[in-house]
Amino acid sequence: MKITIAPRARIQGKPQIPGDKSISHRAQLFGALAEGVTTITGLSGGGDVRSTGKCLADLGVKIEAMKDGVTQIHGVGLRGFQAPKRPLDCGNSGSTMRIFMGFLAGQNFSSELVGDASLSQRPMARVADPLSRMGAKFEMTNGSFAPLWVRGQGRLEPMDYELKVASAQVKSAILLAALYAQGKTTIRGEIHSRDHTERLLPFFGVPVEVSADAITIEGGRALKANAISVPGDPSSAAFWLGAALVARESKVTIEKLLLNPTRIGAMNVLRRMGAELEMKTETEFPEPVGTVTIRRSALRGTMISADEVPSLIDELPLLAVLATYAEGVTEVRGAEELRVKETDRIDAVAENLRRMGATVETFPDGFRIKGPQPLRGAVLDSFHDHRIAMAFSIAGLGATGVTEIENADSVEISYPTFFDTLDELSR
Ligand code: S3P
């Protein structure tokens, strides 16, 4: 699908944001691993989260859509899954494939995991390597890719592991594998990525010890069903914050938004760039949730380095677009992970910005943009990546002339109603 974006002067309102994608995956999966019936309110309806649901259904988990947006998961416990009769299709979802590798490694059966063309090019050895130290067995295409087989070993060994990549997907896979190991598993090193698994396992009754430099979990503990309400996804909300910053006349308020400190890096950066952004946390448990308001503001460039990257990794394509509106240089470094997302997001951002007439310098681990640079409408591509489609829709709002984005239907992965909400806000 190709979408046409005309410049808009006004962005105003209170958009409805889909449930957080990371929490939605975990709520379904932990509900399945638990004993009893878990109710989830506000589950994301995006393609990735549906992939997790379909894979769980193929493992024998009953998932029911109730009224008023409530989903019920009939938990089967750590050992109640059925061997899948067909390959588990993770679609475009890296979180599904990587996190499933963790708990599937501890089952008494084998599973095949497959994904779409993009997911089949994303590295999986980063999960298989640490899990192999626990006794897990995998067979992967060309050593690191899907289609891949998880040869369930029934029981795994605990370990003390130094994590090398700041990835919540890898960290979560290890924590789930650790449930199938006798004794304590500890993860050290790059542990400061999003911490939803560490927060939600205790919410489902399994203690996790978290200190400044280590995460420890003891195996063999059963999860207990719970009721969870999924807050709005800050990585989806970020596009409306961006829209408010590029439109001339704007005020956007977002309620019931996830404000977990490991997820609000982009909001902190926008404030540093000069955005008039208010953030108010209203409830804290099991995840911080609150309200954010933003108004049109003049922006200045900023430096984003490795330690900040995990807290805003999914927002970097949008921040690149906003850098063209900011006065001065914006430079992002230590973000080599962008090259192994749904597409190579450094190249995709640079290619689209250049098509809009901007100058961008790229590095293996980031980019440098000197602003302000007026953008002009152009024919762009999402490269089948939802975040690229949405970031460049925002670019189009402030450009001169009309922007067309090919393969814009990729927004369906995390934000199926994105273009409807864009129309509502600019009415
Ligand atoms: C996610 C973790 C991040 C993020 C992805 C969702 C998660 O990936 O980019 O959209 O739910 O754990 P990495 O953990 O690989 O950085």
Side-chain angles (χ1 to χ4, degrees), residues 246-281:
V246 308
R248 274 197 307 279
E249 207 185 309
S250 58
K251 181 178 174 197
V252 170
T253 299
I254 301 168
E255 294 171 340
K256 297 202 179 99
L257 188 63
L258 174 68
L259 295 178
N260 177 316
T262 63
R263 295 289 302 282
I264 58 170
M267 292 188 229
N268 291 333
V269 164
L270 289 179
R271 277 181 166 169
R272 196 160 82 216
M273 293 175 81
E276 221 183 290
L277 184 155
E278 286 156 39
M279 214 188 296
K280 195 161 132 250
T281 300

Side-chain angles (χ1 to χ4, degrees), residues 201-213:
L201 280 176
F203 190 65
F204 282 86
V206 174
V208 179
E209 256 174 70
V210 180
S211 72
D213 52 9

Side-chain angles (χ1 to χ4, degrees), residues 20-26 48 93-96 98-99 122 126 165-172 193-197 233 235 263 309-310 312-315 337-338 340-342 345 386-387:
D20 186 67
K21 178 159 81 74
S22 296
I23 295 179
S24 292
H25 284 304
R26 287 159 176 82
D48 273 5
S93 176
S95 300
T96 307
R98 294 197 177 118
I99 299 177
R122 298 182 64 188
R126 55 176 55 200
V165 32
S167 162
Q169 296 172 351
V170 179
K171 178 173 65 175
S172 301
S193 53
R194 65 193 67 195
D195 63 359
H196 309 301
T197 299
D233 193 328
S235 303
R263 295 289 302 282
V309 164
L312 46 71
I313 184 76
D314 293 333
E315 289 74 80
E337 279 295 301
L338 284 180
V340 291
K341 290 292 178 189
E342 285 81 331
R345 287 183 176 162
H386 55 131
R387 307 238 186 252

